[in-house]
Amino acid sequence: MGAGEREAGRTADGGLRRARFAVAAVFAVHGAVTGGFATRIPWIQSHLDLGSGALGLALVLPAVGSSCAMPLAGRISHRLGSRAALRLLIVLWCASVALPALAPGLPALCGALAVYGATSGMADVAMNALGVETEERLGRSIMSGLHGMWSAGTLVGSAAGTAAAHADLDARIHLGAAAAVLAVLGAAACHRVLDLRAAGDERPPPRFALPPRAALVIGVVGFCAVFAEGASLDWSAVYLRDVVGSDPGAAAACTTAFTCTMALARFAGDPAVRRFGPVRTVRASGVLAAAGGLLVVTARGAPSVIAGFALIGVGVAVVVPLAFAAAGRSGPAPSQAIAGVATITYTSGLVAPAAIGQIAEASSLVTSFGLVTVLAVGLVAGAGVLRAPQRTAVPAKLREPSQTE
């Protein structure tokens, strides 16, 4: 290999590394928007004088908006190219976080939350599709770490939102400022992501289409993981209080332990995948999650139950990133497959908290988390579907990021 070829190789490798860091920054921005908004929901409820039922109805709209809009992400990327599409969608997503606080009443709030969900879902699909493509070109697992950056961004956004709430800052000011700052950061990060362009003779993807069958099967595995995640995140503190009889401080510590272990496990997930592969990693993760669920439903001491929820967090942390990666490799339309998996996992996150509550009301919270344990075992059984075939053709051309753009 000549000096020129070596230099070209180093330049290409450097471009891929910069693209990886750039898409990681986009994941962090996306998470920061989510975390910041979640902390101001009580302010919005109080400001609009909403009851629990009305607020619950409104909070369904983000999932509805996401599910309806996700299939459009592939079409937007086809028309604009992946870089411009992600820049547009992440800026729209950041801007949308200011809308709910500006709503004058419940109907406007529902509309704002639908827009918030739609922009979130489209940006989610676009950034995961670019993450999968970057992973493919690097030749090593990075998706778990990217989702770890999303978790880190969520923690940063929620910390800033908590500080704003404690300072009694008007949410319209807080979320408006957050929208502006995060939109600038997101747009800047997009400058270095991969720029994929559709071939001239490539047909645009349909506006709406059912996900491929392979994506549906992969989505079931993601459903199990997100169900356990949503159930644990929303109900772990209640479980400690009502079943174990813990004080509020211990109950809050359980939720914190779950969130932190998930984030740490995601950062540690890529080395595990590189060494053991996605199937063995998810099988081991499922065993950990099932062991955690079993500990939750059998133990009666607070330390043991908190440890059980922490194990669930470790066990489910890498599943969704690997499900997105497998979907992106499962066929010639990665955005469509990723949108299908994302829709299934979003639905799981929406269904899980309500399902746990209904089962608990009919029986007990212990029975509810018995179901979580069963679904964790499903991760072990279904891990094989993540061994997706490699794409045989890439229906897009890569234009390397340049200094002049």
Side-chain angles (χ1 to χ4, degrees):
M1 180 183 292
E5 291 175 319
R6 287 195 297 271
E7 180 63 28
R10 285 194 294 269
T11 300
D13 289 344
L16 283 174
R17 284 194 296 270
R18 288 192 293 271
R20 175 190 177 180
F21 295 139
V23 77
V26 173
F27 270 79
V29 168
H30 195 286
V33 175
T34 304
F37 171 71
T39 62
R40 304 320 304 264
I41 291 175
W43 184 95
I44 293 170
Q45 180 181 19
S46 176
H47 180 67
L48 296 181
D49 194 24
L50 299 177
S52 298
L55 179 63
L57 173 65
L59 290 176
V60 171
L61 269 297
V64 174
S66 292
S67 298
C68 293
M70 279 178 179
L72 295 175
R75 196 172 183 90
I76 294 171
S77 295
H78 180 276
R79 175 169 295 184
L80 301 179
S82 61
R83 182 185 295 165
L86 183 59
R87 183 185 292 120
L88 170 66
L89 294 173
I90 199 69
V91 168
L92 289 177
W93 160 235
C94 292
S96 73
V97 77
L99 299 179
L102 300 174
L106 181 60
L109 177 64
C110 289
L113 289 174
V115 172
Y116 173 84
T119 54
S120 170
M122 289 188 291
D124 196 312
V125 170
M127 70 188 192
N128 273 287
L130 266 178
V132 170
E133 186 61 38
T134 305
E135 178 177 272
E136 288 289 286
R137 292 175 184 273
L138 283 169
R140 61 182 185 273
S141 175
I142 64 169
M143 287 299 291
S144 184
L146 293 181
H147 282 254
M149 288 296 294
W150 188 92
S151 297
T154 302
L155 291 173
V156 171
S158 61
T162 300
H166 278 299
D168 201 24
L169 182 65
D170 190 305
R172 290 168 292 193
I173 297 174
H174 163 225
L175 294 179
V181 171
L182 292 172
V184 170
L185 293 176
C190 289
H191 183 66
R192 291 294 186 183
V193 300
L194 296 180
D195 194 13
L196 304 174
R197 304 279 180 164
D201 58 349
E202 184 183 345
R203 296 180 62 184
R207 289 183 176 87
F208 296 99
L210 291 175
R213 183 177 299 177
L216 291 175
V217 177
I218 294 167
V220 171
V221 177
F223 182 97
C224 293
V226 174
F227 191 101
E229 177 184 346
S232 300
L233 191 61
D234 287 6
W235 286 94
S236 57
V238 178
Y239 192 98
L240 264 288
R241 184 193 66 193
D242 292 354
V243 176
V244 183
S246 298
D247 59 73
C254 185
T255 302
T256 302
F258 177 82
T259 304
C260 290
T261 53
M262 271 202 68
L264 292 173
R266 282 178 168 169
F267 283 119
D270 287 324
V273 174
R274 291 167 197 160
R275 180 167 183 177
F276 302 110
V279 175
R280 292 167 66 188
T281 300
V282 170
R283 282 181 180 151
S285 296
V287 170
L288 286 176
L294 190 61
L295 190 58
V296 166
V297 299
T298 57
R300 289 296 175 266
S304 297
V305 173
I306 291 174
F309 278 113
L311 279 175
I312 294 174
V314 172
V316 302
V318 302
V319 178
V320 170
L322 293 181
F324 281 134
R329 296 191 301 264
S330 64
S335 292
Q336 185 179 340
I338 290 170
V341 170
T343 299
I344 295 170
T345 56
Y346 269 52
T347 301
S348 180
L350 178 65
V351 167
I356 293 296
Q358 291 297 318
I359 295 171
E361 187 172 341
S363 179
S364 68
L365 269 175
V366 175
T367 302
S368 296
F369 278 92
L371 173 62
V372 171
T373 305
V374 171
L375 291 176
V377 174
L379 296 177
V380 181
V385 303
L386 300 184
R387 192 185 290 110
Q390 296 290 322
R391 295 204 301 269
T392 56
V394 179
K397 294 184 288 185
L398 171 65
R399 178 164 58 86
E400 292 290 350
S402 65
Q403 298 291 338
T404 57
E405 288 186 291

Short mmCIF file of all heavy atoms in Angstrom, two decimals, residues 210-221 323 326-332 336-338 340-341 344 385-389:
data_model
loop_
_atom_site.label_atom_id
_atom_site.label_comp_id
_atom_site.label_asym_id
_atom_site.label_seq_id
_atom_site.Cartn_x
_atom_site.Cartn_y
_atom_site.Cartn_z
N LEU A 210 -46.61 -1.17 6.24
CA LEU A 210 -46.40 -2.11 7.33
C LEU A 210 -44.93 -2.48 7.39
O LEU A 210 -44.27 -2.62 6.36
CB LEU A 210 -47.24 -3.37 7.12
CG LEU A 210 -48.76 -3.20 7.25
CD1 LEU A 210 -49.46 -4.51 6.90
CD2 LEU A 210 -49.14 -2.75 8.66
N PRO A 211 -44.38 -2.63 8.59
CA PRO A 211 -42.97 -3.01 8.70
C PRO A 211 -42.75 -4.41 8.17
O PRO A 211 -43.67 -5.25 8.17
CB PRO A 211 -42.70 -2.94 10.21
CG PRO A 211 -44.04 -3.05 10.85
CD PRO A 211 -45.01 -2.43 9.90
N PRO A 212 -41.55 -4.72 7.70
CA PRO A 212 -41.25 -6.07 7.22
C PRO A 212 -41.47 -7.10 8.33
O PRO A 212 -41.38 -6.79 9.52
CB PRO A 212 -39.77 -5.99 6.83
CG PRO A 212 -39.47 -4.54 6.70
CD PRO A 212 -40.39 -3.82 7.60
N ARG A 213 -41.73 -8.36 7.91
CA ARG A 213 -42.00 -9.42 8.89
C ARG A 213 -40.82 -9.60 9.85
O ARG A 213 -41.00 -9.81 11.05
CB ARG A 213 -42.30 -10.73 8.17
CG ARG A 213 -42.65 -11.88 9.11
CD ARG A 213 -43.01 -13.13 8.32
NE ARG A 213 -44.17 -12.90 7.47
CZ ARG A 213 -44.65 -13.82 6.63
NH1 ARG A 213 -44.06 -15.00 6.53
NH2 ARG A 213 -45.71 -13.54 5.88
N ALA A 214 -39.60 -9.52 9.32
CA ALA A 214 -38.43 -9.68 10.18
C ALA A 214 -38.40 -8.62 11.27
O ALA A 214 -38.02 -8.89 12.42
CB ALA A 214 -37.15 -9.60 9.34
N ALA A 215 -38.81 -7.39 10.92
CA ALA A 215 -38.82 -6.32 11.91
C ALA A 215 -39.87 -6.57 12.98
O ALA A 215 -39.68 -6.23 14.15
CB ALA A 215 -39.08 -4.98 11.22
N LEU A 216 -40.99 -7.18 12.61
CA LEU A 216 -42.03 -7.49 13.58
C LEU A 216 -41.52 -8.48 14.63
O LEU A 216 -41.77 -8.33 15.82
CB LEU A 216 -43.27 -8.05 12.88
CG LEU A 216 -44.06 -7.08 12.00
CD1 LEU A 216 -45.18 -7.81 11.27
CD2 LEU A 216 -44.63 -5.94 12.84
N VAL A 217 -40.79 -9.49 14.16
CA VAL A 217 -40.25 -10.50 15.09
C VAL A 217 -39.22 -9.87 16.02
O VAL A 217 -39.20 -10.11 17.23
CB VAL A 217 -39.64 -11.67 14.30
CG1 VAL A 217 -39.03 -12.68 15.25
CG2 VAL A 217 -40.70 -12.35 13.44
N ILE A 218 -38.34 -9.04 15.44
CA ILE A 218 -37.36 -8.33 16.26
C ILE A 218 -38.06 -7.41 17.25
O ILE A 218 -37.66 -7.28 18.41
CB ILE A 218 -36.39 -7.54 15.36
CG1 ILE A 218 -35.55 -8.50 14.52
CG2 ILE A 218 -35.49 -6.63 16.19
CD1 ILE A 218 -34.78 -7.82 13.40
N GLY A 219 -39.14 -6.77 16.79
CA GLY A 219 -39.88 -5.86 17.65
C GLY A 219 -40.48 -6.55 18.87
O GLY A 219 -40.61 -5.92 19.93
N VAL A 220 -40.83 -7.83 18.75
CA VAL A 220 -41.36 -8.56 19.90
C VAL A 220 -40.32 -8.65 21.02
O VAL A 220 -40.64 -8.51 22.20
CB VAL A 220 -41.84 -9.97 19.47
CG1 VAL A 220 -42.19 -10.82 20.68
CG2 VAL A 220 -43.04 -9.86 18.54
N VAL A 221 -39.06 -8.90 20.64
CA VAL A 221 -37.99 -8.93 21.63
C VAL A 221 -37.85 -7.55 22.29
O VAL A 221 -37.73 -7.44 23.52
CB VAL A 221 -36.67 -9.37 20.98
CG1 VAL A 221 -35.52 -9.32 21.99
CG2 VAL A 221 -36.79 -10.77 20.41
N ALA A 323 -31.79 -4.39 19.10
CA ALA A 323 -32.96 -4.62 18.25
C ALA A 323 -32.97 -3.64 17.08
O ALA A 323 -33.26 -4.02 15.94
CB ALA A 323 -34.24 -4.49 19.07
N ALA A 326 -30.26 -4.79 14.64
CA ALA A 326 -30.70 -5.95 13.86
C ALA A 326 -31.73 -5.56 12.82
O ALA A 326 -31.71 -6.06 11.69
CB ALA A 326 -31.27 -7.02 14.80
N ALA A 327 -32.65 -4.66 13.18
CA ALA A 327 -33.66 -4.21 12.21
C ALA A 327 -33.00 -3.50 11.04
O ALA A 327 -33.38 -3.71 9.88
CB ALA A 327 -34.66 -3.28 12.90
N GLY A 328 -32.00 -2.67 11.34
CA GLY A 328 -31.33 -1.94 10.27
C GLY A 328 -30.58 -2.84 9.31
O GLY A 328 -30.32 -2.46 8.17
N ARG A 329 -30.21 -4.05 9.75
CA ARG A 329 -29.50 -4.99 8.89
C ARG A 329 -30.42 -6.04 8.28
O ARG A 329 -29.95 -6.92 7.56
CB ARG A 329 -28.41 -5.72 9.70
CG ARG A 329 -27.31 -4.83 10.23
CD ARG A 329 -26.17 -5.68 10.78
NE ARG A 329 -26.61 -6.56 11.85
CZ ARG A 329 -26.52 -6.28 13.14
NH1 ARG A 329 -26.02 -5.12 13.53
NH2 ARG A 329 -26.93 -7.15 14.05
N SER A 330 -31.72 -5.95 8.57
CA SER A 330 -32.61 -7.06 8.21
C SER A 330 -33.13 -7.00 6.78
O SER A 330 -33.80 -7.93 6.34
CB SER A 330 -33.81 -7.10 9.17
OG SER A 330 -34.60 -5.92 9.03
N GLY A 331 -32.86 -5.93 6.05
CA GLY A 331 -33.36 -5.86 4.69
C GLY A 331 -32.89 -4.61 3.98
O GLY A 331 -32.09 -3.84 4.53
N PRO A 332 -33.38 -4.37 2.77
CA PRO A 332 -32.90 -3.24 1.98
C PRO A 332 -33.49 -1.90 2.39
O PRO A 332 -33.11 -0.88 1.84
CB PRO A 332 -33.36 -3.61 0.56
CG PRO A 332 -34.58 -4.45 0.78
CD PRO A 332 -34.33 -5.23 2.04
N GLN A 336 -37.42 1.84 7.26
CA GLN A 336 -38.74 1.25 7.43
C GLN A 336 -38.72 0.18 8.51
O GLN A 336 -39.64 0.10 9.35
CB GLN A 336 -39.20 0.63 6.10
CG GLN A 336 -40.63 0.09 6.13
CD GLN A 336 -41.05 -0.49 4.79
OE1 GLN A 336 -40.46 -0.19 3.76
NE2 GLN A 336 -42.06 -1.34 4.79
N ALA A 337 -37.68 -0.64 8.54
CA ALA A 337 -37.58 -1.68 9.56
C ALA A 337 -37.39 -1.07 10.94
O ALA A 337 -38.01 -1.51 11.92
CB ALA A 337 -36.42 -2.62 9.23
N ILE A 338 -36.54 -0.05 11.05
CA ILE A 338 -36.31 0.60 12.34
C ILE A 338 -37.59 1.28 12.82
O ILE A 338 -37.93 1.24 14.01
CB ILE A 338 -35.15 1.60 12.23
CG1 ILE A 338 -33.83 0.84 12.08
CG2 ILE A 338 -35.09 2.51 13.46
CD1 ILE A 338 -32.65 1.71 11.73
N GLY A 340 -40.59 0.29 12.20
CA GLY A 340 -41.47 -0.76 12.69
C GLY A 340 -41.11 -1.20 14.09
O GLY A 340 -41.97 -1.33 14.96
N VAL A 341 -39.81 -1.43 14.34
CA VAL A 341 -39.37 -1.83 15.68
C VAL A 341 -39.64 -0.72 16.68
O VAL A 341 -40.09 -0.97 17.81
CB VAL A 341 -37.88 -2.20 15.65
CG1 VAL A 341 -37.34 -2.39 17.07
CG2 VAL A 341 -37.67 -3.47 14.85
N ILE A 344 -43.30 -0.63 17.73
CA ILE A 344 -43.65 -1.70 18.67
C ILE A 344 -43.12 -1.39 20.06
O ILE A 344 -43.82 -1.56 21.07
CB ILE A 344 -43.10 -3.04 18.16
CG1 ILE A 344 -43.80 -3.43 16.86
CG2 ILE A 344 -43.32 -4.14 19.20
CD1 ILE A 344 -43.16 -4.61 16.14
N VAL A 385 -33.33 -14.05 17.17
CA VAL A 385 -33.80 -13.25 16.03
C VAL A 385 -32.91 -12.03 15.80
O VAL A 385 -33.00 -11.39 14.75
CB VAL A 385 -35.27 -12.80 16.21
CG1 VAL A 385 -36.18 -13.99 16.43
CG2 VAL A 385 -35.41 -11.80 17.36
N LEU A 386 -32.07 -11.70 16.77
CA LEU A 386 -31.17 -10.56 16.59
C LEU A 386 -29.96 -10.91 15.74
O LEU A 386 -29.17 -10.04 15.43
CB LEU A 386 -30.71 -10.04 17.96
CG LEU A 386 -31.84 -9.58 18.88
CD1 LEU A 386 -31.26 -8.99 20.17
CD2 LEU A 386 -32.73 -8.55 18.19
N ARG A 387 -29.85 -12.19 15.35
CA ARG A 387 -28.79 -12.57 14.42
C ARG A 387 -29.27 -12.27 13.00
O ARG A 387 -29.52 -13.15 12.19
CB ARG A 387 -28.46 -14.06 14.56
CG ARG A 387 -27.19 -14.47 13.85
CD ARG A 387 -26.95 -15.97 13.92
NE ARG A 387 -26.61 -16.43 15.26
CZ ARG A 387 -27.40 -17.16 16.02
NH1 ARG A 387 -28.62 -17.52 15.59
NH2 ARG A 387 -27.02 -17.55 17.23
N ALA A 388 -29.43 -10.98 12.71
CA ALA A 388 -29.98 -10.57 11.41
C ALA A 388 -28.92 -10.70 10.33
O ALA A 388 -27.73 -10.52 10.58
CB ALA A 388 -30.48 -9.14 11.47
N PRO A 389 -29.33 -11.03 9.09
CA PRO A 389 -28.36 -11.12 7.99
C PRO A 389 -27.80 -9.77 7.64
O PRO A 389 -28.46 -8.74 7.80
CB PRO A 389 -29.20 -11.68 6.83
CG PRO A 389 -30.60 -11.27 7.15
CD PRO A 389 -30.71 -11.30 8.65
#
